[in-house]
C-alpha cells in the first residue's frame, strides 16, 4: 500500500516496541548495572563500547558514534530504509502499518511485472544446472572466470540457452504474461509480426539485477566469446532505470557484516570476483558513469565511498566525472575517495594476482577527494607563473562552489586552496564565476535512453572490460548441486477487466512519473565551545580523568557548561573503570543527561573519538579558564582598591601580571 505513514502510528509503534528485545534478537547483550552493553555491530571492536539504556529506549556506541532508537537500529543493522524498518517492527509487534491516502507506488503498479521477472530469474538459474548444454556455461564460469558454485548462488547467476523462445515458452505461456515480459524488456517484438515476440537474452551468462530490497528488476547478459555486444543489459522499464541502480548493492548489504564503506567498480565480474575473495562491499554502475544519484544513495548507507578506476586515460576521465558527481551531494562526515589501479589491471584481475589483503591496502591508500580536485585543477594549467597560479585557483573554486555552502567540508577546501594559492579565503569565497561546463565524454550508444514510441531496444555495454582469461582455477564441482535462491516477490495484483496495454509501443516511459527529487541535505551542526569540546573528549576518553586536576575555583563557578564538565570529571575520577554508558545509567540530572546526548550526537564526536591528544585538549581548556579567572579577579581587586593602592609594590606587580595576561589573551 502506498502513501505516507502517519506520525501518530510511528509514535505508537515506538511506545509498544522494547528496544532491548529488538537489539537482543540481533546481537548478544550483557547486563551492566541498569544498562546493557555489547560489542558494537556497526564497527569492529574487541571490547564492548555499545551501550543500551532500557529506561530511555536509547542506544549509543562510544566507539563509532552510532546511536538512536529501535527504528534507527533496525535501519542500520538490517541495512534497510525507514519504511522497511517500520514494517519490520510493526510485524514483530503484530501491528498493521496504516498509510495516508495516496497513489500506489511503481512497485504496486507493476506487481505482475516483478513476478514475471522473478520467474525469469528462476528459469535462468535452473538452466545453469539442468540444460543439456549446461557444461558450456559452468565451464565458462568456473574455468574461464574462476568462479565457485557458491558465489554463483549468492548472485543468482544463470544461463540463457541458445534458441529464440526458451523463456517465452516457459514463462510467457499466456498472452498476459507475454505482455508483462515485453514490458520488462525480456522479449522483443517481431517487426513484421506485431504481437509476436522472441527472447532478448540468448546463449549468454545471465546476471540478475536486484534493487535494494532484493527484487529482480532487470538482467545483464554476457556473451561467451567475442560476440557483439559483449554485454547486453535490459532496457529501461517502469521498474528499472539504469542511472539510478547499482549492481550488487543488495548482495553487499546482505553479506557484509559491518557495512561502513562501499567500493564502486565498473563491471559485474569485478563485483563478483571481489566478493569471492572476501571483499563483499563492491557495487557496479550499469553501463553509465557514476552520478550524483548513485552517491546520494550510497551516502544513505555508508559514510565512505571509494570510486575504483583503471589507471589509464579513460579511468582518469571517469574519475573526474565521479568527482563532479560527488560535489553537489557531499555531506559533512562523509568521504569520497579515489582508487586508481595499475594500468592494464581491473579489480577482477588485480585481486586474483595480489589477494584480499593487498587490495585492502590499496583501498586504505586511496586518494582523497581534495587531492583529486586540486590535482585536476593544477593539470589544467599550463603557465608556471602568477597567471598560472591564479588560473589554478579559479579552476579549483569552480569545482568547490558546487559543494553545498553550509558544509564545513567546503570551508576546509577553501582554506586548503588559500594555503596553496596564497589567496585569502574571503577573496576566494567572494569570487564570481561563470557557469562551469561539466566534464563530459563523447556520447556512447549504449547510454542513449529509449525515447521513441517503439518497443524496447537492446542496451549494449561494449565498454566493460573483457575478463575472459585467468590462471586461477577453483573446484568446479560446486555447480552440480546448484539450486536457485528464492527471493520474496510482491503479491500478484489483478489487472482490472483483463486489459493489457503496450506502453512502449503507444506511450513512452516517463522518468518523472516514478522518480521524485531527493530532499535537500540538512545544514551542518553548529561548532562547539572549548568547554564542550573538552567535555566531549572526557566522554569519549574517560580514562584521562584520573590524570587531570580541576582547581576548586573553577569547580565553584556557576557556568552551566562547566558544571556539566565537572560532574563528568568527578564521576570518572571516582570510577576509573566505568565508561560513559555507566555514567548515563547512573546520572539523574536531566539537564546534564540531555547535554551529554547532544554532545555524543554532534558531528565532532567521530573526530574526537580518533584523536590521540584528548588529555591535552582538556588541560588546555582548564588553563585557558584559569587565566581568564585570574584576569577577572585581578581586575576586580584593582578596581576595589582604587588608583592610590597601585603605589605599593605588590599592587604594581599584580598590575604588571594583569597586563601580561591581557596581552596573552589578545595574542
Amino acid at each position: 500500500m502506498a502513501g505516507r505513514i502517519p506520525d501518530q502510528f510511528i509514535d505508537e509503534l515506538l511506545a509498544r516496541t522494547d528496544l532491548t528485545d529488538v537489539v537482543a534478537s540481533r546481537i548478544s547483550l550483557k547486563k551492566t548495572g541498569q544498562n546493557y552493553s555489547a560489542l558494537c555491530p556497526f564497527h569492529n571492536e574487541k571490547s564492548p563500547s555499545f551501550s543500551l539504556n532500557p529506561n530511555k529506549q536509547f542506544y549509543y556506541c562510544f566507539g563509532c558514534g552510532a546511536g538512536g532508537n529501535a527504528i534507527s537500529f533496525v535501519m542500520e543493522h538490517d541495512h534497510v530504509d525507514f519504511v522497511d524498518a517500520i514494517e519490520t517492527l510493526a510485524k514483530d509487534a503484530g501491528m498493521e502499518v496504516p498509510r495516508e491516502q495516496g497513489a500506489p507506488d511503481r512497485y504496486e503498479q507493476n506487481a505482475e511485472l516483478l513476478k514475471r521477472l522473478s520467474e525469469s530469474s528462476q528459469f535462468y538459474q535452473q538452466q545453469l544446472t539442468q540444460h543439456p548444454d549446461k557444461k558450456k556455461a559452468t565451464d565458462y564460469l568456473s574455468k574461464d572466470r574462476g568462479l565457485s558454485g557458491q558465489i554463483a548462488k549468492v548472485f543468482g547467476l544463470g544461463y540463457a540457452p541458445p534458441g529464440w523462445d526458451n523463456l517465452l515458452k516457459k514463462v510467457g505461456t499466456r498472452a498476459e504474461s507475454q505482455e508483462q515480459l515485453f514490458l520488462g524488456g525480456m522479449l522483443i517484438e517481431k517487426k513484421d509480426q506485431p504481437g509476436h515476440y522472441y527472447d532478448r537474452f540468448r546463449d549468454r551468462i545471465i546476471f540478475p539485477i536486484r534493487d535494494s530490497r532484493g527484487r529482480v528488476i532487470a538482467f545483464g547478459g554476457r556473451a561467451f566469446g567475442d560476440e557483439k555486444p559483449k554485454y547486453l543489459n535490459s532496457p529501461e522499464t517502469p521498474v528499472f532505470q539504469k542511472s539510478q541502480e547499482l549492481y550488487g548493492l543488495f548482495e553487499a548489504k546482505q553479506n557484509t557484516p559491518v557495512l561502513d564503506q562501499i567500493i564502486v567498480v565498473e563491471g559485474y565480474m569485478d563485483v563478483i570476483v571481489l566478493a569471492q575473495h572476501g571483499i563483499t562491499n563492491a557495487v557496479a554502475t550499469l553501463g553509465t558513469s557514476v552520478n550524483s544519484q548513485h552517491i546520494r544513495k550510497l551516502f544513505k548507507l555508508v559514510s565512505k565511498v571509494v570510486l575504483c578506476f583503471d589507471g589509464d586515460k579513460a579511468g582518469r576521465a571517469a574519475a573526474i566525472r565521479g568527482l563532479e558527481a560527488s560535489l553537489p551531494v557531499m555531506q559533512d562526515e562523509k568521504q569520497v575517495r579515489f582508487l586508481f589501479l595499475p594500468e592494464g589491471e581491473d579489480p577482477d584481475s588485480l585481486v586474483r594476482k595480489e589477494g584480499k589483503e593487498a587490495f585492502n591496502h590499496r583501498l586504505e591508500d586511496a586518494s582523497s577527494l581534495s587531492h583529486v580536485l586540486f590535482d585536476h585543477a593544477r593539470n589544467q594549467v599550463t603557465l608556471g607563473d602568477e597567471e598560472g597560479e591564479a588560473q589554478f585557483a579559479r579552476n579549483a573554486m569552480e569545482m568547490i562552489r558546487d559543494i553545498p555552502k553550509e558544509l564545513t567540508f567546503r570551508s576546509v577546501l577553501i582554506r586548503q586552496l588559500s594555503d596553496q594559492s596564497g589567496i585569502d579565503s574571503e577573496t576566494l569565497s567572494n569570487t564570481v564565476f561563470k557557469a562551469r561546463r561539466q566534464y563530459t565524454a563523447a556520447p556512447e550508444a549504449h547510454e542513449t535512453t529509449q525515447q521513441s514510441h517503439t518497443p524496447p531496444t537492446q542496451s549494449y555495454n561494449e565498454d566493460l572490460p573483457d575478463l575472459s582469461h585467468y590462471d586461477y582455477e577453483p573446484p568446479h564441482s560446486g555447480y552440480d548441486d546448484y539450486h536457485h535462491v528464492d527471493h520474496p516477490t510482491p503479491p500478484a495484483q489483478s489487472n482490472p477487466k483483463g486489459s493489457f496495454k503496450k506502453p512502449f509501443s503507444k506511450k513512452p516511459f516517463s522518468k518523472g512519473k516514478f522518480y521524485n527529487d531527493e530532499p535537500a541535505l540538512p545544514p551542518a551542526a553548529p561548532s562547539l565551545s572549548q568547554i564542550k569540546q573538552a567535555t566531549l573528549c572526557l566522554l569519549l576518553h574517560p580514562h584521562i580523568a584520573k590524570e587531570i586536576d580541576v582547581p576548586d575555583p573553577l569547580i565553584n563557578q556557576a557556568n552551566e557548561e562547566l558544571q556539566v564538565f565537572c560532574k563528568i570529571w568527578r564521576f570518572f575520577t571516582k570510577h576509573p573503570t566505568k565508561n560513559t554508558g555507566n555514567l548515563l545509567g547512573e546520572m539523574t540530572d536531566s539537564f546534564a543527561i540531555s547535554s551529554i546526548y547532544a554532545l555524543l550526537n554532534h558531528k565532532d564526536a567521530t573526530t574526537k573519538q580518533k584523536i590521540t591528544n584528548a588529555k591535552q585538549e582538556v588541560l588546555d581548556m582548564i588553563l585557558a579558564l584559569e587565566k581568564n579567572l585570574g584576569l577577572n579577579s585581578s581586575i576586580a581587586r584593582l578596581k576595589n582598591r582604587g588608583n592610590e593602592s597601585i603605589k605599593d609594590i605588590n599592587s604594581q606587580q599584580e598590575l604588571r601580571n594583569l597586563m601580561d595576561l591581557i596581552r596573552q589573551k589578545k595574542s
Side-chain angles (χ1 to χ4, degrees), residues 144 438 618:
D144 295 351
Q438 296 292 314
V618 177

Side-chain angles (χ1 to χ4, degrees), residues 227-246:
E227 300 96 323
K228 299 295 182 181
K230 186 184 299 181
Y231 281 91
L232 174 64
N233 274 348
S234 293
E236 297 196 345
T237 71
V239 295
F240 174 61
Q241 190 170 12
K242 62 183 179 181
S243 64
Q244 297 200 11
E245 302 295 341
L246 290 162

Side-chain angles (χ1 to χ4, degrees), residues 50-119:
F50 180 92
S51 179
L52 186 154
N53 189 317
N55 296 325
K56 301 181 177 67
Q57 291 289 293
F58 186 90
Y59 70 89
Y60 186 80
C61 175
F62 302 100
C64 66
N69 58 18
I71 297 174
S72 62
F73 183 85
V74 172
M75 289 175 64
E76 292 294 325
H77 184 274
D78 296 1
H79 304 305
V80 296
D81 59 22
F82 179 79
V83 174
D84 289 341
I86 293 291
E87 291 176 347
T88 298
L89 292 173
K91 182 179 179 181
D92 293 341
M95 302 171 67
E96 184 176 345
V97 181
R99 302 289 185 125
E100 295 175 353
Q101 188 173 1
D105 64 20
R106 60 189 175 117
Y107 296 109
E108 292 173 345
Q109 289 177 329
N110 296 283
E112 283 294 324
L113 167 58
L114 289 167
K115 189 174 181 179
R116 297 292 89 78
L117 293 174
S118 177
E119 292 170 354

